Amino acid sequence: MGVNLRGRSFLKILDFTPQEVRYLLDLAKNFKDLKRSGTPHKYLEGKNIVLLFEKTSTRTRCSFEVAGMDLGCGVTYLDPGSSQMGKKESIADTARVLGRMYDGIEYRGFSQELVEDLSKYSGVPVWNGLTDQFHPTQMLADLLTIEEKLGHLKGVKFTFMGDARNNMGNSLMVACAKMGLHFTACAPKELFPEEWLVETCRKLAEESGGSVTLTEDVTEGTKDADVIYTDIWVSMGEPDSVWEERIRLLKKYQVNNEVMANAKPEAIFMHCLPSFHDTKTTIGAEIAEKFGVNEMEVTDEVFESKQSVVFDEAENRMHTIKAVIYATLC
Ligand code: CP
Ligand code: NVA
């Protein structure tokens, strides 16, 4: 049976079948070809979308803006200081107002419940641009990048190193389990994903031929991996006070030459970005001064190496987000 996502929200990968994810990846590949060949694809002229960001963003915001405009949509961006949402107006009321004006709503913020509520009340497709729990549009870009670089998804040995109980660790575990990859979270026990999600993913992996492993052992967790993936150690919305503890917990899970040498020779390095791989950012410089750590989740050498595909991955955010907008609004 054909896949039809018209009118659906895109809130988490758990809501989608492997066939639906496959459909979105294939659609993204088509849009990438159209963009590369300079072929216009304003298939959604007359539609309008609104982007709500309660947290900062470069890739997600720009991807939604460019994708929306390439498709011919009108695009409105609302930043944390320029809407009534949350302060003077409830999410339910905001959603019902925006649903009267826009054909689709992107939301980046804190709780997953909130984006689920937006979808419930607005009456139009809502796209999750990142919550504390999940980052589903990033998953499509990551799967597309893996497929482009390695030629397939099923059977790929994928290792996530770092804060495995946050939006990225959670989402990657779900995406890998759905699509038949072998997922390993290589992290300290304190930062393992929640038990219910691990169990859910293990069931999904049984169906897809993938697997889910949790380990604290870096050598075991990265051995013969096809993909080594990491994320920043302290995420948006977390207080500065957690830095010290997080550095203590995650220092040995840094992606460095030793880790990459333990993976397959042709392994790729991935990161959702932004990344603290040097001290050329305000926070990077502050952390270096305070804790004496010049490179955090990944060394500059690995980040800049031939194995690193982080900028291809970033570009794929736009093509995959375009697929999501089109598939749900067409
Ligand atoms: N990867 C990602 O979501 O980047 P931004 O925070 O810049 O949107
Ligand atoms: N875990 C990170 C992901 C950024 C794309 C954060 O939430 O800040």
Side-chain angles (χ1 to χ4, degrees), residues 295-317:
E295 303 161 309
M296 287 189 254
E297 74 276 5
V298 56
T299 60
D300 198 46
E301 211 174 349
V302 170
F303 187 90
E304 298 292 354
S305 72
K306 282 205 174 69
Q307 286 169 283
S308 172
V309 299
V310 296
F311 296 110
D312 295 317
E313 186 183 356
E315 178 193 332
N316 281 339
R317 297 297 311 287

PDB file of all heavy atoms in Angstrom, residues 295-317:
ATOM      1  N   GLU A 295      38.995  20.639  24.194  1.00  0.00           N
ATOM      2  CA  GLU A 295      38.120  19.969  23.222  1.00  0.00           C
ATOM      3  C   GLU A 295      37.189  19.114  24.062  1.00  0.00           C
ATOM      4  O   GLU A 295      37.635  18.439  24.976  1.00  0.00           O
ATOM      5  CB  GLU A 295      38.930  19.052  22.310  1.00  0.00           C
ATOM      6  CG  GLU A 295      40.047  19.757  21.563  1.00  0.00           C
ATOM      7  CD  GLU A 295      41.102  18.780  21.048  1.00  0.00           C
ATOM      8  OE1 GLU A 295      41.598  17.944  21.834  1.00  0.00           O
ATOM      9  OE2 GLU A 295      41.424  18.860  19.860  1.00  0.00           O
ATOM     10  N   MET A 296      35.917  19.131  23.739  1.00  0.00           N
ATOM     11  CA  MET A 296      34.998  18.354  24.584  1.00  0.00           C
ATOM     12  C   MET A 296      34.608  17.040  23.924  1.00  0.00           C
ATOM     13  O   MET A 296      35.400  16.121  23.872  1.00  0.00           O
ATOM     14  CB  MET A 296      33.813  19.208  24.979  1.00  0.00           C
ATOM     15  CG  MET A 296      34.233  20.249  26.024  1.00  0.00           C
ATOM     16  SD  MET A 296      32.844  21.107  26.699  1.00  0.00           S
ATOM     17  CE  MET A 296      33.020  22.680  25.903  1.00  0.00           C
ATOM     18  N   GLU A 297      33.365  16.961  23.406  1.00  0.00           N
ATOM     19  CA  GLU A 297      32.853  15.650  22.949  1.00  0.00           C
ATOM     20  C   GLU A 297      33.642  15.045  21.797  1.00  0.00           C
ATOM     21  O   GLU A 297      33.601  13.836  21.589  1.00  0.00           O
ATOM     22  CB  GLU A 297      31.361  15.759  22.597  1.00  0.00           C
ATOM     23  CG  GLU A 297      31.031  16.490  21.301  1.00  0.00           C
ATOM     24  CD  GLU A 297      30.967  18.007  21.460  1.00  0.00           C
ATOM     25  OE1 GLU A 297      31.262  18.500  22.555  1.00  0.00           O
ATOM     26  OE2 GLU A 297      30.620  18.691  20.471  1.00  0.00           O
ATOM     27  N   VAL A 298      34.358  15.872  21.025  1.00  0.00           N
ATOM     28  CA  VAL A 298      35.170  15.358  19.907  1.00  0.00           C
ATOM     29  C   VAL A 298      36.427  16.215  19.789  1.00  0.00           C
ATOM     30  O   VAL A 298      36.382  17.422  20.016  1.00  0.00           O
ATOM     31  CB  VAL A 298      34.361  15.364  18.582  1.00  0.00           C
ATOM     32  CG1 VAL A 298      33.806  16.743  18.253  1.00  0.00           C
ATOM     33  CG2 VAL A 298      35.186  14.831  17.413  1.00  0.00           C
ATOM     34  N   THR A 299      37.538  15.579  19.434  1.00  0.00           N
ATOM     35  CA  THR A 299      38.756  16.364  19.240  1.00  0.00           C
ATOM     36  C   THR A 299      38.670  17.100  17.906  1.00  0.00           C
ATOM     37  O   THR A 299      37.976  16.654  16.982  1.00  0.00           O
ATOM     38  CB  THR A 299      40.012  15.459  19.225  1.00  0.00           C
ATOM     39  OG1 THR A 299      39.878  14.525  18.136  1.00  0.00           O
ATOM     40  CG2 THR A 299      40.189  14.719  20.541  1.00  0.00           C
ATOM     41  N   ASP A 300      39.408  18.189  17.822  1.00  0.00           N
ATOM     42  CA  ASP A 300      39.425  18.981  16.596  1.00  0.00           C
ATOM     43  C   ASP A 300      39.934  18.123  15.431  1.00  0.00           C
ATOM     44  O   ASP A 300      39.446  18.226  14.308  1.00  0.00           O
ATOM     45  CB  ASP A 300      40.323  20.201  16.811  1.00  0.00           C
ATOM     46  CG  ASP A 300      40.048  21.268  15.789  1.00  0.00           C
ATOM     47  OD1 ASP A 300      38.856  21.568  15.542  1.00  0.00           O
ATOM     48  OD2 ASP A 300      41.017  21.798  15.204  1.00  0.00           O
ATOM     49  N   GLU A 301      40.900  17.253  15.726  1.00  0.00           N
ATOM     50  CA  GLU A 301      41.485  16.408  14.681  1.00  0.00           C
ATOM     51  C   GLU A 301      40.436  15.485  14.042  1.00  0.00           C
ATOM     52  O   GLU A 301      40.371  15.374  12.820  1.00  0.00           O
ATOM     53  CB  GLU A 301      42.609  15.571  15.300  1.00  0.00           C
ATOM     54  CG  GLU A 301      43.711  15.272  14.315  1.00  0.00           C
ATOM     55  CD  GLU A 301      44.879  14.563  14.971  1.00  0.00           C
ATOM     56  OE1 GLU A 301      44.942  14.489  16.223  1.00  0.00           O
ATOM     57  OE2 GLU A 301      45.721  14.062  14.211  1.00  0.00           O
ATOM     58  N   VAL A 302      39.625  14.859  14.865  1.00  0.00           N
ATOM     59  CA  VAL A 302      38.582  13.975  14.322  1.00  0.00           C
ATOM     60  C   VAL A 302      37.519  14.809  13.609  1.00  0.00           C
ATOM     61  O   VAL A 302      37.078  14.477  12.506  1.00  0.00           O
ATOM     62  CB  VAL A 302      37.934  13.107  15.434  1.00  0.00           C
ATOM     63  CG1 VAL A 302      36.694  12.384  14.907  1.00  0.00           C
ATOM     64  CG2 VAL A 302      38.940  12.114  15.984  1.00  0.00           C
ATOM     65  N   PHE A 303      37.123  15.926  14.216  1.00  0.00           N
ATOM     66  CA  PHE A 303      36.090  16.784  13.616  1.00  0.00           C
ATOM     67  C   PHE A 303      36.494  17.233  12.209  1.00  0.00           C
ATOM     68  O   PHE A 303      35.668  17.289  11.300  1.00  0.00           O
ATOM     69  CB  PHE A 303      35.863  18.009  14.515  1.00  0.00           C
ATOM     70  CG  PHE A 303      34.714  18.880  14.086  1.00  0.00           C
ATOM     71  CD1 PHE A 303      33.428  18.651  14.564  1.00  0.00           C
ATOM     72  CD2 PHE A 303      34.902  19.940  13.204  1.00  0.00           C
ATOM     73  CE1 PHE A 303      32.358  19.450  14.173  1.00  0.00           C
ATOM     74  CE2 PHE A 303      33.845  20.747  12.807  1.00  0.00           C
ATOM     75  CZ  PHE A 303      32.571  20.504  13.290  1.00  0.00           C
ATOM     76  N   GLU A 304      37.779  17.545  12.051  1.00  0.00           N
ATOM     77  CA  GLU A 304      38.266  18.063  10.754  1.00  0.00           C
ATOM     78  C   GLU A 304      38.780  16.951   9.835  1.00  0.00           C
ATOM     79  O   GLU A 304      39.261  17.225   8.739  1.00  0.00           O
ATOM     80  CB  GLU A 304      39.396  19.078  10.984  1.00  0.00           C
ATOM     81  CG  GLU A 304      38.981  20.322  11.774  1.00  0.00           C
ATOM     82  CD  GLU A 304      38.007  21.231  11.018  1.00  0.00           C
ATOM     83  OE1 GLU A 304      37.729  20.966   9.842  1.00  0.00           O
ATOM     84  OE2 GLU A 304      37.514  22.201  11.621  1.00  0.00           O
ATOM     85  N   SER A 305      38.700  15.700  10.283  1.00  0.00           N
ATOM     86  CA  SER A 305      39.291  14.601   9.504  1.00  0.00           C
ATOM     87  C   SER A 305      38.437  14.235   8.291  1.00  0.00           C
ATOM     88  O   SER A 305      37.277  14.644   8.181  1.00  0.00           O
ATOM     89  CB  SER A 305      39.452  13.362  10.392  1.00  0.00           C
ATOM     90  OG  SER A 305      38.169  12.802  10.656  1.00  0.00           O
ATOM     91  N   LYS A 306      39.009  13.409   7.410  1.00  0.00           N
ATOM     92  CA  LYS A 306      38.291  12.931   6.211  1.00  0.00           C
ATOM     93  C   LYS A 306      37.101  12.068   6.595  1.00  0.00           C
ATOM     94  O   LYS A 306      36.133  11.953   5.839  1.00  0.00           O
ATOM     95  CB  LYS A 306      39.240  12.105   5.335  1.00  0.00           C
ATOM     96  CG  LYS A 306      40.193  12.936   4.505  1.00  0.00           C
ATOM     97  CD  LYS A 306      40.628  12.140   3.251  1.00  0.00           C
ATOM     98  CE  LYS A 306      41.456  12.982   2.311  1.00  0.00           C
ATOM     99  NZ  LYS A 306      42.790  13.296   2.881  1.00  0.00           N
ATOM    100  N   GLN A 307      37.178  11.425   7.750  1.00  0.00           N
ATOM    101  CA  GLN A 307      36.072  10.552   8.177  1.00  0.00           C
ATOM    102  C   GLN A 307      34.843  11.341   8.639  1.00  0.00           C
ATOM    103  O   GLN A 307      33.759  10.796   8.766  1.00  0.00           O
ATOM    104  CB  GLN A 307      36.551   9.623   9.299  1.00  0.00           C
ATOM    105  CG  GLN A 307      37.466   8.513   8.795  1.00  0.00           C
ATOM    106  CD  GLN A 307      38.131   7.777   9.934  1.00  0.00           C
ATOM    107  OE1 GLN A 307      39.078   8.283  10.533  1.00  0.00           O
ATOM    108  NE2 GLN A 307      37.653   6.589  10.232  1.00  0.00           N
ATOM    109  N   SER A 308      35.035  12.618   8.914  1.00  0.00           N
ATOM    110  CA  SER A 308      33.953  13.448   9.438  1.00  0.00           C
ATOM    111  C   SER A 308      33.017  13.877   8.307  1.00  0.00           C
ATOM    112  O   SER A 308      33.450  14.447   7.304  1.00  0.00           O
ATOM    113  CB  SER A 308      34.572  14.680  10.109  1.00  0.00           C
ATOM    114  OG  SER A 308      33.574  15.593  10.472  1.00  0.00           O
ATOM    115  N   VAL A 309      31.716  13.594   8.485  1.00  0.00           N
ATOM    116  CA  VAL A 309      30.736  13.936   7.431  1.00  0.00           C
ATOM    117  C   VAL A 309      29.734  14.974   7.951  1.00  0.00           C
ATOM    118  O   VAL A 309      28.618  15.089   7.453  1.00  0.00           O
ATOM    119  CB  VAL A 309      30.005  12.668   6.921  1.00  0.00           C
ATOM    120  CG1 VAL A 309      31.000  11.680   6.319  1.00  0.00           C
ATOM    121  CG2 VAL A 309      29.190  11.993   8.025  1.00  0.00           C
ATOM    122  N   VAL A 310      30.152  15.736   8.956  1.00  0.00           N
ATOM    123  CA  VAL A 310      29.206  16.592   9.679  1.00  0.00           C
ATOM    124  C   VAL A 310      28.563  17.689   8.819  1.00  0.00           C
ATOM    125  O   VAL A 310      27.414  18.064   9.058  1.00  0.00           O
ATOM    126  CB  VAL A 310      29.853  17.219  10.944  1.00  0.00           C
ATOM    127  CG1 VAL A 310      30.239  16.140  11.934  1.00  0.00           C
ATOM    128  CG2 VAL A 310      31.059  18.074  10.599  1.00  0.00           C
ATOM    129  N   PHE A 311      29.276  18.162   7.798  1.00  0.00           N
ATOM    130  CA  PHE A 311      28.670  19.241   7.013  1.00  0.00           C
ATOM    131  C   PHE A 311      27.726  18.697   5.928  1.00  0.00           C
ATOM    132  O   PHE A 311      26.748  19.343   5.573  1.00  0.00           O
ATOM    133  CB  PHE A 311      29.751  20.186   6.468  1.00  0.00           C
ATOM    134  CG  PHE A 311      30.471  20.877   7.604  1.00  0.00           C
ATOM    135  CD1 PHE A 311      31.794  20.569   7.913  1.00  0.00           C
ATOM    136  CD2 PHE A 311      29.801  21.776   8.421  1.00  0.00           C
ATOM    137  CE1 PHE A 311      32.435  21.168   8.998  1.00  0.00           C
ATOM    138  CE2 PHE A 311      30.433  22.385   9.514  1.00  0.00           C
ATOM    139  CZ  PHE A 311      31.752  22.075   9.797  1.00  0.00           C
ATOM    140  N   ASP A 312      28.002  17.483   5.450  1.00  0.00           N
ATOM    141  CA  ASP A 312      27.030  16.819   4.556  1.00  0.00           C
ATOM    142  C   ASP A 312      25.750  16.546   5.343  1.00  0.00           C
ATOM    143  O   ASP A 312      24.636  16.697   4.833  1.00  0.00           O
ATOM    144  CB  ASP A 312      27.596  15.485   4.040  1.00  0.00           C
ATOM    145  CG  ASP A 312      28.815  15.698   3.157  1.00  0.00           C
ATOM    146  OD1 ASP A 312      28.781  16.615   2.331  1.00  0.00           O
ATOM    147  OD2 ASP A 312      29.806  14.966   3.319  1.00  0.00           O
ATOM    148  N   GLU A 313      25.949  16.122   6.568  1.00  0.00           N
ATOM    149  CA  GLU A 313      24.825  15.832   7.467  1.00  0.00           C
ATOM    150  C   GLU A 313      23.997  17.104   7.690  1.00  0.00           C
ATOM    151  O   GLU A 313      22.763  17.082   7.615  1.00  0.00           O
ATOM    152  CB  GLU A 313      25.442  15.336   8.786  1.00  0.00           C
ATOM    153  CG  GLU A 313      24.510  14.828   9.829  1.00  0.00           C
ATOM    154  CD  GLU A 313      25.292  14.452  11.114  1.00  0.00           C
ATOM    155  OE1 GLU A 313      26.548  14.531  11.131  1.00  0.00           O
ATOM    156  OE2 GLU A 313      24.629  14.110  12.105  1.00  0.00           O
ATOM    157  N   ALA A 314      24.680  18.222   7.921  1.00  0.00           N
ATOM    158  CA  ALA A 314      23.978  19.501   8.152  1.00  0.00           C
ATOM    159  C   ALA A 314      23.187  19.905   6.906  1.00  0.00           C
ATOM    160  O   ALA A 314      22.030  20.347   7.000  1.00  0.00           O
ATOM    161  CB  ALA A 314      24.974  20.584   8.532  1.00  0.00           C
ATOM    162  N   GLU A 315      23.786  19.728   5.733  1.00  0.00           N
ATOM    163  CA  GLU A 315      23.059  20.069   4.495  1.00  0.00           C
ATOM    164  C   GLU A 315      21.791  19.220   4.364  1.00  0.00           C
ATOM    165  O   GLU A 315      20.727  19.723   3.963  1.00  0.00           O
ATOM    166  CB  GLU A 315      23.950  19.839   3.263  1.00  0.00           C
ATOM    167  CG  GLU A 315      23.184  20.135   1.971  1.00  0.00           C
ATOM    168  CD  GLU A 315      23.865  19.659   0.701  1.00  0.00           C
ATOM    169  OE1 GLU A 315      25.110  19.575   0.662  1.00  0.00           O
ATOM    170  OE2 GLU A 315      23.134  19.380  -0.276  1.00  0.00           O
ATOM    171  N   ASN A 316      21.907  17.964   4.747  1.00  0.00           N
ATOM    172  CA  ASN A 316      20.756  17.060   4.606  1.00  0.00           C
ATOM    173  C   ASN A 316      19.589  17.426   5.512  1.00  0.00           C
ATOM    174  O   ASN A 316      18.471  16.964   5.295  1.00  0.00           O
ATOM    175  CB  ASN A 316      21.198  15.611   4.823  1.00  0.00           C
ATOM    176  CG  ASN A 316      21.882  15.054   3.587  1.00  0.00           C
ATOM    177  OD1 ASN A 316      21.696  15.562   2.479  1.00  0.00           O
ATOM    178  ND2 ASN A 316      22.675  14.006   3.768  1.00  0.00           N
ATOM    179  N   ARG A 317      19.833  18.262   6.521  1.00  0.00           N
ATOM    180  CA  ARG A 317      18.713  18.751   7.339  1.00  0.00           C
ATOM    181  C   ARG A 317      17.669  19.417   6.436  1.00  0.00           C
ATOM    182  O   ARG A 317      16.473  19.238   6.594  1.00  0.00           O
ATOM    183  CB  ARG A 317      19.190  19.775   8.392  1.00  0.00           C
ATOM    184  CG  ARG A 317      20.168  19.272   9.437  1.00  0.00           C
ATOM    185  CD  ARG A 317      19.586  18.187  10.321  1.00  0.00           C
ATOM    186  NE  ARG A 317      18.285  18.528  10.864  1.00  0.00           N
ATOM    187  CZ  ARG A 317      18.051  19.428  11.842  1.00  0.00           C
ATOM    188  NH1 ARG A 317      19.055  20.057  12.421  1.00  0.00           N
ATOM    189  NH2 ARG A 317      16.824  19.673  12.283  1.00  0.00           N
TER     190      ARG A 317
END
